[in-house]
Amino acid sequence: MIENKEKTIFSRIILYAALFVFSVATCFLIYGKSALNPFNIRLYYRFGDSIQHYFGWVSFRNSPWQFPLGLFNGATYPDSVSIIFTDSIPFLAVFFKLLSPILPADFQYFGLWTLLCFVLNTWIAAHIFERFTENFFTVFTGALFFVMVPAMIIRTFTHEALGGQFLVLFSVEIFLLICFGTSDREIMIRTAILGVLAASIHIYFLPICGMIVFGTFLLDTLKNKKVIRGISLIIIYVACAALTVFFLGGFASSLDFSNGGLSYGN
């Protein structure tokens, strides 16, 4: 029994390591090492949506900390605006601002984000396939179909945050947890994480993932007759998303429509 368990763990390590290597290699083949280099900012010399995202990050980085944490006034002084509204992947902006003192002046995290999206797409897909089969080849092959998601590739280096299509897969996995009778605690924790991630990557994901969460709620209440758990899923998702938006300053912007804002911004 112990030997079989160790063999299973070893097989899973090999599986996810192989998917990691394949995902990273595919990403480099598509975009090249220059685009993925975090110290290369030449990609943002051109006009377009991506320069707004980079400009948001740089302005946020060079502004003093405020509360809520996502507010900054480096682009709209003396008014403050939330990093949410520059589409700069807020949770990464906050994380790297904390590391700003040790980072070089020329730094962008959008290439690293792209790599992360490629890897997480295949890893979460593999985790889903593992719920249906233990066959290594089947899981690996099935996960490979998610390494080049068209929506992710189209958005990368244009609307970078929307490359986080792994959130949709994560939502689907929560739905499957209900189907496979996973513990309430794990389901609730994953739903909370989903709410935080959707709100801190791009709020467009909130209604997209929310529809799947609502479908999970319907399954749990109508089929499984677990009304309290079903309602709890909705409450947890909405509450975690709302708290995340609050801490990122989404409800605290001092700008309004009369301010004109960034002429090419949101």
Side-chain angles (χ1 to χ4, degrees):
M1 178 71 78
I2 296 177
E3 186 176 323
N4 289 335
K5 184 177 181 180
E6 290 177 348
K7 183 178 180 181
T8 300
I9 294 173
F10 179 73
S11 298
R12 295 191 77 224
I13 292 174
I14 295 298
L15 169 66
Y16 285 92
L19 288 173
F20 176 85
V21 171
F22 192 91
S23 301
V24 171
T26 302
C27 192
F28 270 93
L29 286 173
I30 294 175
Y31 301 110
K33 64 179 182 179
S34 178
L36 301 174
N37 180 0
F39 310 117
N40 175 29
I41 62 171
R42 294 184 61 85
L43 182 66
Y44 304 97
Y45 288 177
R46 59 185 176 82
F47 184 81
D49 286 345
S50 59
I51 196 173
Q52 173 194 304
H53 310 153
Y54 176 71
F55 175 70
W57 148 243
V58 172
S59 299
F60 177 68
R61 176 185 183 180
N62 293 315
S63 297
W65 284 104
Q66 300 184 46
F67 186 83
L69 298 179
L71 286 181
F72 69 103
N73 58 15
T76 54
Y77 184 86
D79 296 312
S80 294
V81 69
S82 172
I83 190 66
I84 286 177
F85 302 121
T86 64
D87 295 351
S88 304
I89 315 175
F91 89 94
L92 287 181
V94 172
F95 175 75
F96 284 111
K97 183 173 180 176
L98 291 170
L99 300 180
S100 186
I102 63 174
L103 294 175
D106 292 341
F107 176 82
Q108 52 83 17
Y109 47 76
F110 301 106
L112 296 174
W113 165 251
T114 300
L115 279 172
L116 182 64
C117 288
F118 270 71
V119 172
L120 288 181
N121 253 12
T122 55
W123 277 3
I124 297 176
H127 206 237
I128 290 174
F129 280 113
E130 281 187 302
R131 298 191 177 277
F132 296 94
T133 178
E134 295 180 356
N135 185 279
F136 179 97
F137 180 77
T138 302
V139 174
F140 180 76
T141 305
L144 290 185
F145 281 100
F146 292 85
V147 75
M148 295 179 66
V149 177
M152 179 179 67
I153 294 175
I154 290 170
R155 295 298 181 183
T156 300
F157 298 115
T158 302
H159 301 103
E160 292 90 347
L162 297 181
Q165 300 295 313
F166 63 86
L167 287 175
V168 179
L169 289 176
F170 191 53
S171 305
V172 171
E173 187 175 18
I174 293 174
F175 180 87
L176 291 175
L177 292 179
I178 297 290
C179 299
F180 284 92
T182 308
S183 68
D184 292 0
R185 182 172 179 271
E186 183 177 352
I187 293 170
M188 300 300 181
I189 290 174
R190 286 174 181 260
T191 303
I193 293 173
L194 177 64
V196 171
L197 289 178
S200 62
I201 292 174
H202 199 297
I203 55 177
Y204 279 5
F205 283 117
L206 285 177
I208 295 172
C209 298
M211 286 188 287
I212 300 176
V213 172
F214 184 72
T216 306
F217 154 76
L218 291 177
L219 175 68
D220 223 18
T221 55
L222 299 180
K223 183 179 179 180
N224 298 337
K225 308 302 180 184
K226 293 191 175 183
V227 179
I228 295 177
R229 187 175 71 175
I231 294 175
S232 297
L233 290 176
I234 298 292
I235 294 174
I236 288 173
Y237 179 74
V238 173
C240 288
L243 284 172
T244 302
V245 171
F246 168 76
F247 280 109
L248 291 172
F251 301 129
S253 174
S254 60
L255 294 178
D256 56 44
F257 288 110
S258 65
N259 283 91
L262 305 175
S263 60
Y264 55 87
N266 290 340

